[in-house]
Amino acid sequence: MKVRRAAKWQESVDDRILEHLSEEPWSSARHMATLPSIHATEAQVKDRCCRLADVGLVAWFDDNALDLVELTTEGQLYLDGELDVDLYPNPRKFRSY
């Protein structure tokens, strides 16, 4: 197993979100907040997904009532230990929802 190279701004929930998205092609913050492995509110998951999208690890699609998120190639490379996220610019801070 390769070691993931996380950035200082990342939180443990980020890996759990990315791992979930590697198993399912699409998901939403609402759905991920209900998963026992996530341990975060819908607002927290949405905030983390916005940050992950800002650095390109996930793609965020706002579809009116449903916010959909998918894992990008960069996100999969990070999970595989082949991408050092600390080399990317820090994501912007988003306001709470």
Side-chain angles (χ1 to χ4, degrees):
M1 183 173 143
K2 295 187 179 180
V3 176
R4 294 179 187 158
R5 293 170 284 188
K8 293 173 185 75
W9 58 265
Q10 283 182 281
E11 296 179 5
S12 61
V13 70
D14 296 347
D15 276 8
R16 294 192 303 270
I17 289 169
L18 295 170
E19 289 163 357
H20 170 71
L21 292 172
S22 74
E23 296 171 4
E24 294 196 21
W26 297 92
S27 197
S28 67
R30 173 176 283 168
H31 172 71
M32 287 188 277
T34 67
L35 299 173
S37 62
I38 299 290
H39 305 291
T41 66
E42 181 179 349
Q44 291 168 324
V45 172
K46 192 170 189 175
D47 176 68
R48 299 315 303 172
C49 286
C50 286
R51 291 172 192 248
L52 293 169
D54 201 41
V55 296
L57 299 180
V58 301
W60 185 268
F61 299 96
D62 187 5
D63 182 20
N64 294 327
L66 186 61
D67 296 322
L68 298 174
V69 183
E70 74 172 334
L71 188 67
T72 62
T73 301
E74 289 83 2
Q76 187 61 55
L77 288 170
Y78 165 75
L79 287 175
D80 294 341
E82 298 178 17
L83 180 76
D84 187 350
V85 181
D86 208 24
L87 298 177
Y88 282 56
N90 288 346
R92 295 171 283 168
K93 293 192 183 213
F94 295 89
R95 64 180 175 175
S96 299
Y97 294 93

